[in-house]
């Protein structure tokens, strides 16, 4: 496991992730289509989109993202 150099990193917050998820779901043709394509649970997707559950690891992976933690020095 090493550090990969990357010139175009962008830090996303939860609002960005939700915006990205909503866009992906819309482009897929809806929640059912996206969930089927990603082999994900549509009910959980719906709960995440409606703010009743936090983003799951499976949804984050389906968006081709990963969790990264940043230290702000405080």
């Amino acid at each position: 496991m090493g550090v990969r150099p990357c010139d175009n990193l962008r830090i996303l917050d939860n609002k960005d992730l939700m915006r990205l998820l909503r866009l992906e779901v819309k482009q897929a043709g809806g929640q059912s289509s996206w969930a089927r394509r990603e082999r994900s649970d549509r009910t959980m997707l719906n709960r995440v989109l409606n703010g009743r559950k936090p983003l799951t690891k499976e949804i984050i992976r389906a968006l081709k993202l990963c969790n990264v933690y940043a230290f702000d020095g405080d």
Side-chain angles (χ1 to χ4, degrees):
M1 185 165 77
V3 176
R4 295 185 323 216
C6 186
D7 294 331
N8 57 355
L9 279 178
R10 180 164 176 231
I11 296 174
L12 304 174
D13 62 15
N14 283 339
K15 287 180 186 178
D16 295 325
L17 294 178
M18 291 303 293
R19 206 173 3 254
L20 178 60
L21 178 59
R22 285 189 176 96
L23 178 64
E24 292 283 325
V25 167
K26 182 178 180 181
Q27 289 176 343
Q31 293 179 23
S32 295
S33 296
W34 190 88
R36 239 186 334 273
R37 184 184 79 196
E38 299 301 332
R39 297 183 179 169
S40 182
D41 179 30
R42 192 209 53 84
T43 303
M44 181 57 74
L45 173 63
N46 181 273
R47 289 179 182 154
V48 169
L49 287 170
N50 287 301
R52 292 189 304 248
K53 293 285 185 181
L55 283 162
T56 65
K57 290 179 184 179
E58 292 77 19
I59 291 174
I60 291 170
R61 278 191 215 115
L63 293 172
K64 308 217 181 354
L65 301 172
C66 63
N67 290 337
V68 175
Y69 299 93
F71 178 68
D72 69 5
D74 287 340

